[in-house]
Protein backbone atom coordinates (compact mmCIF):
# COMPACT_ATOMS: atom_id res chain seq x y z
CA UNK A 1 0.00 0.00 0.00
CA UNK A 2 0.97 3.65 -0.32
CA UNK A 3 1.23 4.06 3.46
CA UNK A 4 3.73 1.18 3.68
CA UNK A 5 5.80 2.63 0.81
CA UNK A 6 5.97 5.97 2.63
CA UNK A 7 7.03 4.25 5.86
CA UNK A 8 9.71 2.28 4.01
CA UNK A 9 11.06 5.39 2.26
CA UNK A 10 11.14 7.28 5.55
CA UNK A 11 12.91 4.38 7.25
CA UNK A 12 15.49 4.13 4.46
CA UNK A 13 16.16 7.87 4.61
CA UNK A 14 16.69 7.59 8.36
CA UNK A 15 19.11 4.66 8.02
CA UNK A 16 21.05 6.35 5.21
CA UNK A 17 21.28 9.67 7.03
CA UNK A 18 22.50 8.00 10.23
CA UNK A 19 25.14 6.03 8.32
CA UNK A 20 26.24 9.17 6.46
CA UNK A 21 26.56 11.23 9.62
CA UNK A 22 28.47 8.45 11.34
CA UNK A 23 30.96 8.00 8.49
CA UNK A 24 31.47 11.73 7.98
CA UNK A 25 32.10 12.16 11.70
CA UNK A 26 34.49 9.21 11.64
CA UNK A 27 36.33 10.84 8.71
CA UNK A 28 36.46 14.16 10.58
CA UNK A 29 37.94 12.50 13.66
CA UNK A 30 40.45 10.62 11.52
CA UNK A 31 41.63 13.89 9.97
CA UNK A 32 41.82 15.69 13.33
CA UNK A 33 43.47 12.94 15.37
CA UNK A 34 45.48 10.94 12.81
CA UNK A 35 46.11 13.62 10.17
CA UNK A 36 44.93 11.11 7.58
CA UNK A 37 42.07 11.33 5.14
CA UNK A 38 40.23 8.66 3.19
CA UNK A 39 39.24 9.32 -0.41
CA UNK A 40 35.53 10.12 -0.92
CA UNK A 41 35.00 6.80 -2.70
CA UNK A 42 36.11 4.94 0.45
CA UNK A 43 33.78 7.00 2.62
CA UNK A 44 30.91 6.24 0.23
CA UNK A 45 31.76 2.52 0.24
CA UNK A 46 31.63 2.56 4.03
CA UNK A 47 28.23 4.26 4.02
CA UNK A 48 26.90 1.87 1.38
CA UNK A 49 28.20 -1.20 3.22
CA UNK A 50 26.76 0.00 6.54
CA UNK A 51 23.29 0.61 5.05
CA UNK A 52 23.33 -2.83 3.39
CA UNK A 53 24.43 -4.48 6.64
CA UNK A 54 21.69 -2.74 8.64
CA UNK A 55 19.02 -3.76 6.12
CA UNK A 56 20.29 -7.35 5.93
CA UNK A 57 20.51 -7.78 9.70
CA UNK A 58 16.94 -6.59 10.13
CA UNK A 59 15.42 -8.26 7.07
CA UNK A 60 12.96 -10.28 9.17
CA UNK A 61 11.42 -7.18 10.74
CA UNK A 62 8.31 -5.44 9.48
CA UNK A 63 9.01 -2.89 6.70
CA UNK A 64 12.61 -4.11 6.21
CA UNK A 65 11.89 -6.89 3.69
CA UNK A 66 11.77 -4.57 0.67
CA UNK A 67 14.33 -1.98 1.77
CA UNK A 68 17.28 -3.58 -0.03
CA UNK A 69 15.53 -3.29 -3.39
CA UNK A 70 14.66 0.31 -2.57
CA UNK A 71 18.28 1.05 -1.57
CA UNK A 72 19.74 -0.55 -4.71
CA UNK A 73 17.32 1.27 -6.99
Amino acid sequence: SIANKNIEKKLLKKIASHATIYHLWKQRNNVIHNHASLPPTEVFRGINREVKNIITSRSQRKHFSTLMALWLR
Side-chain angles (χ1 to χ4, degrees):
S1 75
I2 293 173
N4 281 342
K5 291 286 182 195
N6 288 338
I7 290 170
E8 290 165 358
K9 285 182 180 181
K10 190 174 181 178
L11 184 58
L12 185 58
K13 286 178 187 177
K14 187 176 182 180
I15 292 168
S17 64
H18 285 201
T20 301
I21 291 167
Y22 170 78
H23 281 275
L24 291 177
W25 195 262
K26 187 176 168 183
Q27 171 74 347
R28 172 204 169 269
N29 286 345
N30 198 33
V31 169
I32 290 172
H33 300 294
N34 301 327
H35 308 290
S37 177
L38 292 174
T41 55
E42 288 298 315
V43 176
F44 175 77
R45 275 192 207 130
I47 294 167
N48 189 42
R49 175 57 38 212
E50 177 132 358
V51 170
K52 285 180 179 181
N53 287 344
I54 290 169
I55 292 170
T56 302
S57 69
R58 293 172 173 88
S59 62
Q60 300 303 315
R61 293 185 184 181
K62 187 177 181 180
H63 301 298
F64 275 85
S65 60
T66 59
L67 280 186
M68 187 65 79
L70 193 59
W71 176 249
L72 296 176
R73 198 166 26 133

